[in-house]
Amino acid sequence: KFLVKDKVVVVTGGARGLGFSFALGLAQAGANIAAIDLDVAPGPHFERLSQCGGKHRYYRADVTNYEVLKATIDSIARDFGSIDGCIPAAGIIRDRPFLQHTPEDLIDTMNVNVIGVFLTVQLCAAKMSAQGTGGSVVCISSTAGHRSLFPQTISAYTASKYAVRGLVKQIASELAQHKIRVNSISPGVIKTDMLESVMQANPTRRKLFESSNAMQRLGNSEELVGMVLCLMSDASTFTTGQDFLVDGGQI
Ligand code: NAD
């Protein structure tokens, strides 16, 4: 039931952080991965995917650029023959008090975290629908998509993560007739470059993050993979339009 063997999964933000961990976890379980990211070279760690067997390719694209993203997803469908799953994990964060958030902070955050997710899912779902085989989409919201994480100052990010959950609710209803399930996970504080950048800008945040959940520690990206595998596989065929918190007991 938890099998993802031979499924083709598109993962944005797949060069590092959570996206890379999802790609690796799925590859280890037998999936084929099409990773999309901005980075020119995804780095030597990306080679770990090829050691899993299966077919894995890296595509350089900006998820906010519709033409480039469409051409990339067309290429993926041609290169792999089908698309069975989609994880739009590319995301950015701006940590600045609300009154100091610039229009660029808001526009950049919404462009990647909402518009990028919307377009990626729309383009992948169009392929799944045309194939007639259906598929599974796992979006990435956040505990910031459930409540204020004050004293963090991430208003644009928070708005974007609430938007992801709203999008999931709406399109799960619309895509069910195409046999496409759409869910999201909401990670808590997980050790990645994104979290590191927030902690470097404000060192008091590390203590705040570590004491923010029942387990009193930061999470590792591998600790999210089980939930993603479940949602991507036939273990969850009656599950759609839902969000799953994986946050060490934060809320
Ligand atoms: P990260 O910064 O480590 O990795 C994000 C990746 O997305 C990078 O490889 C980056 O190059 C890519 N990316 C950014 N903008 C892009 C664009 N326009 N086009 C293509 N790729 C782009 O961040 P992360 O911590 O791995 O975050 C991944 C997702 O998980 C984000 O949506 C983030 O909001 C969410 N999240 C993270 C945490 C956490 O604690 N780390 C918690 C909750 C949610």
Side-chain angles (χ1 to χ4, degrees), residues 12-19 36-39 61-64 88-92 112-113 140-143 157 161 186-195:
T12 73
R16 63 192 166 114
L18 301 191
I36 298 177
D37 206 295
L38 279 179
D39 288 355
D62 181 340
V63 298
T64 69
I92 60 170
V112 182
N113 296 10
I140 316 300
S141 182
S142 165
T143 44
Y157 183 79
K161 292 301 178 179
S186 282
V189 281
I190 313 294
K191 272 179 260 174
T192 63
D193 290 350
M194 179 186 281
L195 199 76

Side-chain angles (χ1 to χ4, degrees), residues 14 20-21 28 30-31 51 76 93 154 194 207 214 217 232:
F20 176 71
S21 288
Q28 284 168 341
Q51 290 156 16
I76 292 171
I93 194 166
I154 50 172
M194 179 186 281
K207 275 231 149 353
R217 65 171 173 86
M232 198 46 75

Side-chain angles (χ1 to χ4, degrees), residues 12-211:
T12 73
R16 63 192 166 114
L18 301 191
F20 176 71
S21 288
F22 301 149
L24 183 62
L26 287 161
Q28 284 168 341
N32 303 305
I33 303 298
I36 298 177
D37 206 295
L38 279 179
D39 288 355
V40 182
H45 62 287
F46 199 78
E47 291 306 312
R48 289 175 66 193
L49 292 189
S50 31
Q51 290 156 16
C52 299
K55 179 172 172 171
H56 313 292
R57 277 190 67 170
Y58 175 75
Y59 298 81
R60 187 181 175 213
D62 181 340
V63 298
T64 69
N65 183 326
Y66 180 73
E67 295 308 326
V68 169
L69 188 64
K70 185 175 183 317
T72 302
I73 289 173
D74 284 345
S75 300
I76 292 171
R78 267 198 309 277
D79 294 347
F80 285 84
S82 70
I83 294 177
D84 308 301
C86 166
I87 308 179
I92 60 170
I93 194 166
R94 296 288 155 81
D95 192 345
R96 238 190 292 286
F98 175 61
L99 294 179
Q100 289 159 31
H101 254 61
T102 63
E104 288 72 30
D105 287 334
L106 180 61
I107 291 164
D108 292 351
T109 306
M110 289 297 172
N111 266 339
V112 182
N113 296 10
V114 183
I115 295 174
V117 171
F118 189 111
L119 297 178
T120 304
V121 176
Q122 188 187 50
L123 290 163
C124 288
K127 300 289 181 200
M128 294 173 187
S129 167
Q131 288 159 206
T133 50
S136 174
V137 176
V138 182
C139 295
I140 316 300
S141 182
S142 165
T143 44
H146 290 257
R147 65 179 176 92
S148 158
L149 296 186
F150 184 80
Q152 286 190 77
T153 49
I154 50 172
S155 49
Y157 183 79
T158 300
S160 75
K161 292 301 178 179
Y162 269 82
V164 167
R165 292 208 299 130
L167 178 68
V168 165
K169 273 284 173 220
Q170 174 65 28
I171 64 178
S173 307
E174 295 190 28
L175 293 176
Q177 62 189 306
H178 302 277
K179 296 188 283 183
I180 300 169
R181 297 183 296 107
V182 188
N183 295 286
S184 58
I185 64 167
S186 282
V189 281
I190 313 294
K191 272 179 260 174
T192 63
D193 290 350
M194 179 186 281
L195 199 76
E196 223 27 84
S197 72
V198 173
M199 292 191 295
Q200 266 168 19
N202 187 341
T204 61
R205 294 277 153 79
R206 184 179 294 275
K207 275 231 149 353
L208 174 79
F209 290 155
E210 285 171 353
S211 60

